[in-house]
Amino acid sequence: MQSRTVWAVLEDTAAKYPDRAALQQPLGAGKYRSWTWSEYASIVRQVAMGLRAMGVAKGEIVALASETRAEFYLADQGVMACGAIAAALYTSLPPAEQAKALRASGARVAFAETEASARALGVEGIRWILLTGAAAGYETLESVRAEGQRAIAADPSAFERIRGEFNDTDHAILYMTSGATGEPKMGLVTHRAIVTNLDMGPDVLPLSPDDCTIAFLPSAHIAQRVVVELLPAHDGACVWFSEGLSKLPNEMRSIKPTFFLAPPRVWERVYSSITVEIRKRPAPVRSMFYAGVGLGSEAARLRQQGKSVPLWMRAALRFFDRIMFAKIRQRLGGRIRVAASGAAPLGKDLADFYAAIGMPLIEGYGLTEGGIAALNPLDRPKSGSIGKLLPGYEARFEDDGELLLRSTCLFSGYFNDPAATASVLRNGWLATGDIAEMDAEGYFYITGRKKELIVASNGKKIYPSRIEALLKREPLISHVLLIGDRMPYVTALLTVTGPLAAAQPAVEQAVKTANRELAEFERIRKFKILDREFSIEQGELTPTMKLRRNRVLENHRELVNEMYVGREAG
């Protein structure tokens, strides 16, 4: 099979759609700077040649410290096109943690969004390239491009020689893991692993130059990097960049994306704003809304089971769609044909709601070490499921239910950490750390994390994620941490959106409702609502908004101890 690199993917797309829009970077006041696919590829060649002129060698790690923006894409692709390895930092982490990761990577050259972001990291010995702006003592993206253009003009065959120095077995990306269950690690991924994953796209997520999306997730995360940067480069879809979460609602309405990837937290916020509004409406309106959602949920259930929706139900749903559901979808632009949820588990009830209003969330499953491994079929997604394996993936289960994967898309290993690599790569199989199960139709379900398993003092095993998902059906609840390992009963720490006093009754009801669906040993006996959200700054959340359980327990030890005073028998 012919060797294909990440650059070859971009080159092919630029040849097919040279004049179609590829990237749209906001300039403020509703204006955008646009790049075509031809311009995109040309700039990447220039950056690659410019980096080589700076002395960046094949296999050398080049870091990127920037929010997600068009210039990041240009630099990221340029690094890979010159045979170097691109390592994006999680810019939401405190500067000290970013600096630690930068030093650990061994990078000598790094891109920074601004002079201020470069200075904030304070790492000596780095040759900085600014993606925006200019300052004394710094290279700029434009100066690197100019150097590359001079090199190409002096020797038109130079770039072809450089691309011939590496192939798809060489490393392209160094992913920084977010460290939800321990100290962050760095995962090396080859061109072959990435391109093989991208080539699976048309079978499960077909995109074209007529599609567009909005990029706002951190580019250090694999979901953003693969699905919103590299997959559009594979299929020719246009990427618009967001100015930030606060601007995202307006951007959705103006840009009207056709596919959109967001973590569950974003979908939860949309749902929460809708339910808060509905609660303020007169009783007849509330009744009609809930009746429509109920009917839509039943229709979605029938579709998930492969059954036809009765004619009378389709007619009723057209009515509800016209007066309610279409207006909700219009908030998100009204053109979304693929609404995807990734980066964290999606609650079944949240998935049921979006399916009911005619915009089913397509949940998938991916991880730094394994690529994008599963996705729900667009024509028949199942709520609560991560979908079916992508073509080219195999799966098996350990005796304890842990999911193992095998594929060309697996990572090569952790950077400078053979022991950690050996702990997850076992004879070609990746131990994911996720407890999972599969139904008769080949749909997979994640039921818990192996490292987050709670074993009560009576020996009963409890998987927190299922219970936490039950509680988060209440839209006011933002995060839940279940506690009970080696303890006689289960407790919980919760955070809420909005004033604590107003949320208290709703949380109490959510706990009671969840407990009715749980076994006796799983039920929450006590809980505490914090007076603030969990935060990245306090070390309680990863950059992808996953809870760091150990840090939360450390930060709130006194509250936890209060819930176990007396330790009633379980």
Side-chain angles (χ1 to χ4, degrees):
M1 187 176 69
Q2 185 180 6
S3 172
R4 287 178 71 227
T5 62
V6 172
W7 159 254
V9 170
L10 177 61
E11 181 182 45
D12 288 347
T13 299
K16 288 178 187 174
Y17 316 112
D19 300 322
R20 296 294 295 264
L23 308 175
Q24 302 277 3
Q25 174 64 33
L27 302 174
K31 296 181 179 178
Y32 286 80
R33 161 76 164 94
S34 179
W35 289 263
T36 65
W37 286 107
S38 178
E39 290 170 330
Y40 189 173
S42 178
I43 293 170
V44 167
R45 273 193 299 269
Q46 294 166 6
V47 173
M49 290 297 295
L51 288 172
R52 280 300 183 98
M54 291 174 62
V56 174
K58 170 195 168 184
E60 185 171 344
I61 292 169
V62 177
L64 299 101
S66 172
E67 301 293 337
T68 296
R69 56 184 301 127
E71 291 85 354
F72 177 98
Y73 281 31
L74 300 173
D76 193 39
Q77 292 268 4
V79 171
M80 291 186 273
C82 85
I85 302 169
L89 303 177
Y90 276 108
T91 54
S92 55
L93 288 174
E97 289 194 42
Q98 292 183 58
K100 181 180 177 182
L102 178 55
R103 292 189 190 96
S105 75
R108 296 183 305 112
V109 175
F111 289 88
E113 185 169 6
T114 63
E115 179 194 5
S117 56
R119 288 188 181 280
L121 297 187
V123 178
E124 298 291 333
I126 298 290
R127 191 171 178 183
W128 288 101
I129 305 168
L130 303 183
L131 293 177
T132 64
Y138 291 89
E139 306 280 353
T140 67
L141 182 63
E142 295 307 314
S143 68
V144 172
R145 284 183 56 193
E147 186 66 31
Q149 187 57 36
R150 283 192 290 272
I152 293 171
D155 183 357
S157 63
F159 180 71
E160 289 303 312
R161 286 201 304 276
I162 287 173
R163 69 180 298 188
E165 292 177 7
F166 64 98
N167 59 38
D168 63 356
T169 64
D170 289 297
H171 292 120
I173 292 177
L174 180 68
Y175 282 115
M176 311 287 187
T177 66
S178 58
T181 56
E183 195 67 22
K185 296 183 284 291
M186 303 179 184
L188 282 164
V189 184
T190 64
H191 286 268
R192 178 182 296 173
I194 296 166
V195 174
T196 302
N197 214 183
L198 297 177
D199 285 344
M200 297 171 184
D203 290 333
V204 294
L205 190 62
L207 301 177
S208 78
D210 294 326
D211 286 301
C212 67
T213 189
I214 302 176
F216 72 99
L217 294 169
S219 283
H221 194 279
I222 187 172
Q224 161 64 29
R225 204 75 155 275
V226 173
V227 180
V228 192
E229 178 184 343
L230 300 177
L231 189 60
H234 184 277
D235 298 335
C238 183
V239 179
W240 297 71
F241 295 88
S242 174
E243 290 190 77
L245 276 176
S246 64
K247 302 285 184 69
L248 191 57
N250 287 333
E251 291 169 338
M252 294 291 288
R253 287 189 285 270
S254 61
I255 294 169
K256 298 178 171 54
T258 59
F259 80 101
F260 185 66
L261 170 69
R265 193 73 196 98
V266 170
W267 299 114
E268 287 167 4
R269 283 176 178 169
V270 175
Y271 170 65
S272 179
S273 68
I274 292 166
T275 55
V276 167
E277 286 182 28
I278 291 298
R279 287 171 181 173
K280 296 176 181 176
R281 298 294 181 91
V285 175
R286 294 199 304 270
S287 297
M288 183 175 292
F289 176 80
Y290 293 125
V293 170
L295 194 66
S297 296
E298 178 60 20
R301 186 183 65 80
L302 290 172
R303 293 189 194 99
Q304 289 176 18
Q305 294 175 349
K307 299 177 181 179
S308 61
V309 179
L311 184 62
W312 71 266
M313 190 178 289
R314 294 202 300 270
L317 283 174
R318 282 196 293 272
F319 166 74
F320 285 115
D321 193 77
R322 187 174 66 254
I323 65 168
M324 291 188 304
F325 299 157
K327 294 176 182 177
I328 295 174
R329 297 196 302 272
Q330 201 62 41
R331 292 184 176 196
L332 302 172
R335 291 203 310 154
I336 292 181
R337 64 181 184 85
V338 181
S341 181
L346 177 71
K348 183 178 184 301
D349 294 277
L350 195 64
D352 285 341
F353 169 78
Y354 283 98
I357 67 168
M359 196 180 75
L361 295 184
I362 307 300
E363 188 172 11
Y365 175 77
L367 62 169
T368 303
E369 297 85 352
I372 308 301
L375 192 71
N376 265 278
L378 299 186
D379 58 346
R380 196 183 159 204
K382 283 190 179 183
S383 296
S385 165
I386 59 169
K388 297 184 176 184
L389 292 178
L390 270 60
Y393 277 87
E394 299 173 75
R396 66 180 177 86
F397 297 98
E398 293 282 49
D399 291 341
D400 62 0
E402 183 181 9
L403 176 65
L404 271 63
L405 296 173
R406 184 163 65 182
S407 171
T408 305
C409 304
L410 301 187
F411 84 145
S412 306
Y414 294 116
F415 181 61
N416 289 342
D417 198 340
T421 301
S423 71
V424 297
L425 287 179
R426 306 168 188 169
N427 299 318
W429 290 87
L430 171 68
T432 66
D434 287 310
I435 306 299
E437 56 190 32
M438 183 182 74
D439 69 14
E441 295 182 294
Y443 287 78
F444 285 76
Y445 299 81
I446 302 297
T447 58
R449 283 288 297 170
K450 191 171 181 177
K451 289 184 178 180
E452 294 172 358
L453 174 68
I454 290 175
V455 181
S457 58
N458 59 7
K460 297 284 188 180
K461 294 181 179 179
I462 301 164
Y463 290 102
S465 60
R466 182 175 71 91
I467 301 171
E468 291 166 359
L470 290 176
L471 290 170
K472 290 180 74 173
R473 289 185 300 196
E474 168 50 56
L476 291 176
I477 296 176
S478 54
H479 283 104
V480 181
L481 178 74
L482 217 65
I483 307 162
D485 198 44
R486 297 184 297 278
M487 304 301 282
Y489 54 89
V490 176
T491 63
L493 289 177
L494 304 100
T495 63
V496 296
T497 57
L500 191 153
Q504 180 81 35
V507 173
E508 289 178 353
Q509 185 57 51
V511 171
K512 289 178 183 177
T513 302
N515 279 343
R516 284 197 289 268
E517 300 181 41
L518 298 172
E520 177 67 29
F521 68 89
E522 296 176 304
R523 290 174 186 162
I524 298 166
R525 303 287 185 87
K526 298 179 182 179
F527 66 88
K528 295 280 187 182
I529 305 175
L530 303 185
D531 58 4
R532 65 169 177 83
E533 288 269 19
F534 296 131
S535 73
I536 292 174
E537 292 72 23
Q538 297 289 332
E540 297 159 340
L541 295 175
T542 71
T544 54
M545 305 307 287
K546 296 186 184 78
L547 277 178
R548 285 176 167 155
R549 292 174 178 267
N550 291 340
R551 180 61 67 85
V552 172
L553 291 174
E554 289 172 16
N555 290 358
H556 304 282
R557 177 57 58 191
E558 288 186 13
L559 283 178
V560 173
N561 289 341
E562 286 177 18
M563 292 190 289
Y564 287 99
V565 172
R567 292 194 178 193
E568 57 190 80

